[in-house]
Amino acid sequence: MTDYPRPPYPEQQQAMPGNTDAMKPRPDHGETSYVGSGRLAGKCAIITGGDSGIGRAVAIAYAREGADLLISYLSEEEEDARETQKWVEAAGRKTVLMPGDISSAQHCRAIIEKAVEALGGIDILVNNAAHQASFEALGDISDREWERTFAVNIHAMFYLSKAAAPHLEDGGVIINTSSINADQPNAHLLAYATTKGAIQNFTMGLAQMLADKNIRVNCVAPGPVWTPLIPSTMPPEAVKSFGGNTPIGRAAQPRELAPPYVMLASDEASYMSGATVPVTGGRPFM
């Protein structure tokens, strides 16, 4: 199916971090369309931000490909996390829910320890969770907001990757979520866009550092994707026209992001490391 909704979208605003059920139209995470083929059979994966949006779509796809999962999410997103758990378990896979704030190094280490204990190991780490907020002027960005964005978007990747690496055996995988903003920064998302550029660099450097252990590190760079982050962090006019600036003419549905994450986690990508897979609706990416 490619007949997805196009802007203008209905007028809507939510409080951060947003809720899937309140979105109009409701995002498609592949609930009724994604069909697995056993490409991740027997694997154990951690997905941060796995409660909604891209994270939920990846969780559904991974489960249908045969993986057991630990889903990391903010405590305020419990309702969305339970919905993701329902779809994973409907695929016959195990789900461990881990609420908490990944800006804490201690909590990041606890996520890894919980996955090892409850799933029996880790094969795949998907660093997907992100924080963003829109600001018109530089002076509107508080020190706390700048620090919060870096703590969630890039510091947590370091904490999680460092803690996971000793448990990732030969063939282990780390997948980071970057953004088109790493290449074409949106001025109103200055802090967020800056972290996405850092993620790109982190991915390429970490891939080299872990290559001798045969641990592959790659990232996916989405363009505009219709997730709760959008109505909860962007002004009404930006939400209404969201994704209309792409050649395809619309925002991606989360379902459309899942296949690259599956490919990068599978043996099909055995010679890919340090790479970025852009999924941008036709917008150029370096």
Side-chain angles (χ1 to χ4, degrees):
M1 173 184 174
T2 57
D3 186 23
Y4 289 118
R6 294 175 172 272
Y9 301 113
E11 204 166 299
Q12 57 197 294
Q13 288 282 276
Q14 294 190 41
M16 293 174 69
N19 177 272
T20 301
D21 286 341
M23 295 182 69
K24 300 174 184 176
R26 197 175 191 280
D28 179 4
H29 307 90
E31 290 93 339
T32 62
S33 61
Y34 190 92
V35 178
S37 57
R39 285 183 285 178
L40 303 178
K43 302 288 188 182
C44 300
I46 295 170
I47 304 173
T48 67
D51 55 290
S52 63
I54 295 171
R56 179 183 290 182
V58 173
I60 290 171
Y62 277 18
R64 293 181 185 175
E65 295 291 353
D68 292 327
L69 306 175
L70 182 146
I71 302 296
S72 157
Y73 58 98
L74 284 172
S75 301
E76 304 94 294
E77 299 169 324
E78 186 71 28
E79 182 183 342
D80 270 345
R82 293 287 176 186
E83 176 73 9
T84 299
Q85 181 182 39
K86 181 189 81 172
W87 287 104
V88 172
E89 294 183 350
R93 307 314 307 175
K94 183 175 183 178
T95 323
V96 177
L97 297 184
M98 187 80 172
D101 187 349
I102 63 170
S103 68
S104 159
Q106 183 177 355
H107 181 66
C108 288
R109 290 189 283 269
I111 288 172
I112 303 303
E113 291 167 6
K114 183 69 171 179
V116 171
E117 173 196 345
L119 301 179
I122 308 167
D123 301 292
I124 305 158
L125 169 62
V126 179
N127 288 312
N128 170 70
H131 171 81
Q132 79 170 32
S134 300
F135 298 94
E136 290 293 322
L138 181 61
D140 296 337
I141 306 172
S142 69
D143 294 351
R144 185 175 181 181
E145 172 64 25
W146 184 265
E147 291 161 4
R148 171 71 180 166
T149 308
F150 271 78
V152 173
N153 295 9
I154 185 67
H155 295 175
M157 282 194 186
F158 168 72
Y159 302 143
L160 286 160
S161 299
K162 181 181 177 182
H167 302 283
L168 289 168
E169 298 180 356
D170 189 347
V173 175
I174 298 173
I175 305 171
N176 302 321
T177 300
S178 180
S179 169
I180 186 118
N181 279 279
D183 185 47
Q184 300 177 31
N186 181 329
H188 296 159
L189 298 173
L190 181 63
Y192 173 85
T194 304
T195 63
K196 292 301 178 176
I199 289 167
Q200 194 98 1
N201 195 290
F202 175 74
T203 298
M204 292 185 285
L206 187 61
Q208 296 173 72
M209 183 173 278
L210 297 180
D212 63 344
K213 304 181 190 305
N214 198 26
I215 296 171
R216 296 184 292 104
V217 187
N218 295 289
C219 65
V220 178
V225 186
W226 187 240
T227 75
L229 206 62
I230 306 312
S232 67
T233 66
M234 289 188 167
E237 280 308 307
V239 175
K240 187 176 181 180
S241 62
F242 187 66
N245 63 344
T246 65
I248 286 181
R250 61 171 176 83
Q253 292 295 313
R255 160 70 177 85
E256 297 176 281
L257 271 292
Y261 287 85
V262 171
M263 183 270 292
L264 290 173
S266 75
D267 291 340
E268 295 166 12
S270 58
Y271 199 61
M272 289 183 69
S273 197
T276 299
V277 179
V279 188
T280 62
R283 286 176 61 183
F285 191 94
M286 62 180 179

